[in-house]
Amino acid sequence: MASAWAQRAMEIERQPMPRDLSRVVTIICNDCEVRSEGMPWHFLGVQCPACQSFNTVVDGGSQNNNQQNPIGRQQQPPSSSSDGSASSNEPMETS
């Protein structure tokens, strides 16, 4: 698998993440079970620094380098309605 991981690393190097999508994540490697913090996220994968595998999963949340949410939009606080309650974008249930 070493040659496959080396190929994947080269693909990631050739396709840097745009600044608005860059973020830092914590990963857990499914091969060596090492947990690594502060790893740069890429849509093609995140390489384990211990065993060089890309068989990893993101553990928990992520920290965006530009203080935006993962899809690149500025986060906004919930708006309030005229009665003082917070509004929701979720559909309302009907009976």
Side-chain angles (χ1 to χ4, degrees):
M1 289 300 298
S3 62
W5 299 147
Q7 180 67 29
R8 177 64 55 94
M10 286 176 33
E11 291 169 0
I12 289 172
E13 191 174 315
R14 284 184 283 197
Q15 298 179 38
M17 289 299 295
R19 181 166 170 76
D20 63 330
L21 295 178
S22 66
R23 55 186 163 166
V24 176
V25 296
T26 298
I27 62 166
I28 298 175
C29 180
N30 290 319
D31 291 336
C32 69
E33 299 180 358
V34 168
R35 184 175 188 269
S36 303
E37 296 180 3
M39 303 301 298
W41 178 82
H42 196 282
F43 67 91
L44 292 176
V46 181
Q47 190 170 27
C48 174
C51 72
Q52 307 307 308
S53 168
F54 280 91
N55 187 13
T56 60
V57 294
V58 174
D59 182 32
S62 65
Q63 178 182 18
N64 293 9
N65 290 343
N66 60 4
Q67 301 302 321
Q68 292 182 344
N69 68 17
I71 59 172
R73 297 188 189 122
Q74 294 289 336
Q75 293 189 13
Q76 298 176 359
S79 60
S80 296
S81 63
S82 60
D83 65 358
S85 64
S87 65
S88 171
N89 290 337
E90 296 179 22
M92 295 178 65
E93 292 184 29
T94 57
S95 302

